[in-house]
Amino acid sequence: MEKVNVFDVSSALIERIQRDYAEDVAIAAYYGSYTDGTATECSDLDFFYIPANPKGYNAGLSFILNGISFDFWPIDWERAERMARLEDGKTGILADCKLLYVRSDEDLERFNHLKLQIKDMRSFEGEEKFLDMAEAKLKSVYPFLWEMRRAGIGKSLSFYRLQAFEVVAPVLEAIALVNRTYLRKGWGKNLTEIYNLPVRPAELEQVMNTIMRSAEPPAIIGACEFLADAVKGVIDDRRSLLQPPTPDYAQRAEGFFEEFKGLLDKVQSACERKDYELAFFSAVHAESELNSFLVFCETGHWKVGKKAQEAGRKIAEQAKLPSLVSVLDPANLFVLQSAANRLEVTLERFFREQGVDIRKFDSLTEFRAFLLGSKSE
């Protein structure tokens, strides 16, 4: 079997385009190992093209030559534009490719604009946009996590590994987006690149090894869930850093207690009317708000999600602030009413101990005096 130069193969394909599809193919290009210098004798030439019209799709061709597999596959302009916005996980194909064929100067200008858009986005776009894209990627994994958890251990090992890939692929793309970049290599070749990214879960390599090497479904499921939670935590932490902290605890907490009391009043009112549904939602809302706010008061940054709730509840417990959610009981709302009353008293005392000025007036006269800027006598 004669040795074939892969670029001779590409030349043959380009000759076919020029002969049969000159007006139907806008761009043809190659990417992968031959662009980054990692090709071996067994490497194929990874190439794609952008059709200019419906007939152009007929130029696609998959074949095996001299024992090497080749796939000349189409990407429409719409998908190329998604790649340029880093919305498609194959952005590296577009960003790092080299051209083989261009139909016209207009096609070249359009193509180069997309490549420049990738560079500009990474250089100048605000981090918030990247975090939004990362979170969108992450949301796609939860149905697969649910399917694995629902299956228990009743499926084959292949099932869990296939589901795990559906989790891992978008999660790793999300990590790249948090770092304001894209994955340059294909799956299996890009792990070193990912492990070297500066912003990532500390346990990433260990968790990935469990997912790839374990033969135990519970271990694979647990690792996938841990990975998704860890990346969500990374995204939340990055969001919190984008918010400039207010100077001190007293300024951060200013006005919160006065507004929060309204939620506690709603809880107590619902308990008095024996309206469990309203009591339930009011209590859950109040405790969730308080947990998040306590974290903000301590750190100066707003945080959301499970970790923020856990951290806020820990602060509340240290301050001996009663929990509302833990005492919810449809058969006995008096306990919840008492907890809401005690929470109001202890939270006010706690904030005052932290130097928080709480605007609380005993009379309209006192309030008018405050508005006039003078102290009540």
Side-chain angles (χ1 to χ4, degrees):
M1 190 178 296
E2 64 173 329
K3 185 176 180 180
V4 175
N5 185 319
V6 294
F7 286 100
D8 290 339
V9 177
S10 68
S11 295
L13 287 170
I14 298 307
E15 289 169 7
R16 174 174 175 256
I17 289 175
Q18 292 170 331
R19 182 183 67 247
D20 301 331
Y21 299 99
E23 293 303 315
D24 308 309
V25 171
I27 296 287
Y30 70 96
Y31 62 96
S33 57
Y34 279 96
T35 62
D36 61 22
T38 61
T40 67
E41 289 186 0
C42 296
S43 296
D44 62 348
L45 185 63
D46 299 307
F47 36 33
F48 71 92
Y49 70 98
I50 300 178
N53 55 48
K55 182 183 175 183
Y57 286 91
N58 296 329
L61 193 64
S62 298
F63 57 96
I64 298 171
L65 176 60
N66 200 26
I68 299 176
S69 173
F70 293 88
D71 184 17
F72 188 55
W73 59 290
I75 298 175
D76 59 36
W77 281 113
E78 289 73 19
R79 184 176 183 186
E81 288 166 357
R82 292 197 299 274
M83 290 177 178
R85 296 192 297 267
L86 273 67
E87 295 172 0
D88 187 297
K90 302 292 187 182
T91 294
I93 291 175
L94 179 66
D96 303 322
C97 71
K98 295 184 179 180
L99 292 174
L100 292 167
Y101 172 82
V102 178
R103 182 184 64 161
S104 67
D105 290 342
E106 290 76 13
D107 292 321
L108 179 61
E109 182 178 359
R110 184 177 182 181
F111 186 73
N112 284 339
H113 174 74
L114 295 180
K115 295 190 72 170
L116 183 62
Q117 184 177 330
I118 298 171
K119 179 180 178 181
D120 287 347
M121 179 178 287
R122 292 180 59 218
S123 301
F124 305 113
E125 191 69 46
E127 186 173 358
E128 190 74 37
K129 180 176 179 63
F130 286 87
L131 296 178
D132 289 343
M133 290 191 291
E135 196 148 35
K137 289 283 185 185
L138 192 60
K139 286 179 179 178
S140 70
V141 311
Y142 294 111
F144 298 101
L145 291 174
W146 182 78
E147 285 289 348
M148 281 196 287
R149 180 58 67 184
R150 187 175 72 124
I153 59 172
K155 299 281 189 178
S156 68
L157 181 58
S158 295
F159 167 83
Y160 299 99
R161 286 177 169 168
L162 289 169
Q163 294 293 105
F165 177 76
E166 299 295 340
V167 172
V168 166
V171 166
L172 296 183
E173 289 172 10
I175 293 173
L177 288 167
V178 170
N179 286 271
R180 299 174 66 171
T181 189
Y182 55 88
L183 300 178
R184 290 173 170 78
K185 296 182 179 294
W187 300 118
K189 296 181 180 180
N190 55 16
L191 287 180
T192 300
E193 173 189 352
I194 295 167
Y195 295 155
N196 287 331
L197 291 173
V199 184
R200 58 180 176 80
E203 309 88 346
L204 178 60
E205 189 168 355
Q206 177 184 345
V207 175
M208 285 297 299
N209 280 332
T210 299
I211 292 171
M212 292 185 293
R213 300 175 186 276
S214 178
E216 300 296 329
I220 296 173
I221 296 169
C224 287
E225 291 176 336
F226 180 89
L227 182 59
D229 286 345
V231 174
K232 180 64 167 68
V234 168
I235 293 171
D236 291 342
D237 288 345
R238 296 303 297 180
R239 283 197 192 282
S240 69
L241 293 176
L242 296 179
Q243 303 166 5
T246 49
D248 56 41
Y249 198 109
Q251 288 193 30
R252 293 168 194 161
E254 183 177 352
F256 176 79
F257 178 81
E258 294 89 326
E259 182 179 354
F260 186 71
K261 184 182 183 306
L263 286 177
L264 295 179
D265 290 343
K266 187 179 293 185
V267 173
Q268 296 195 58
S269 176
C271 291
E272 289 173 0
R273 299 200 306 268
K274 295 182 171 51
D275 185 342
Y276 179 73
E277 287 76 13
L278 179 58
F280 176 90
F281 284 104
S282 299
V284 171
H285 182 198
E287 187 158 320
S288 176
E289 287 285 310
L290 179 59
N291 290 343
S292 296
F293 192 76
L294 289 173
V295 174
F296 168 69
C297 286
E298 289 283 339
T299 66
H301 297 291
W302 283 105
K303 298 185 179 182
V304 296
K306 184 177 74 171
K307 287 186 176 180
Q309 286 295 314
E310 291 173 349
R313 191 63 238 159
K314 185 175 181 179
I315 297 170
E317 289 171 354
Q318 291 171 345
K320 295 182 169 47
L321 302 177
S323 169
L324 303 181
V325 175
S326 64
V327 298
L328 276 166
D329 181 359
N332 185 3
L333 289 176
F334 178 75
V335 178
L336 175 61
Q337 185 176 3
S338 298
N341 182 63
R342 285 187 289 112
L343 179 55
E344 178 182 338
V345 174
T346 54
L347 183 61
E348 179 179 354
R349 182 171 62 244
F350 172 73
F351 277 148
R352 290 190 186 278
E353 289 172 353
Q354 309 307 314
V356 179
D357 182 22
I358 295 176
R359 300 188 184 99
K360 189 175 182 181
F361 309 100
D362 295 325
S363 68
L364 182 58
T365 300
E366 188 179 355
F367 178 61
R368 288 183 182 277
F370 166 77
L371 293 178
L372 291 171
S374 60
K375 294 183 179 179
S376 175
E377 296 182 357

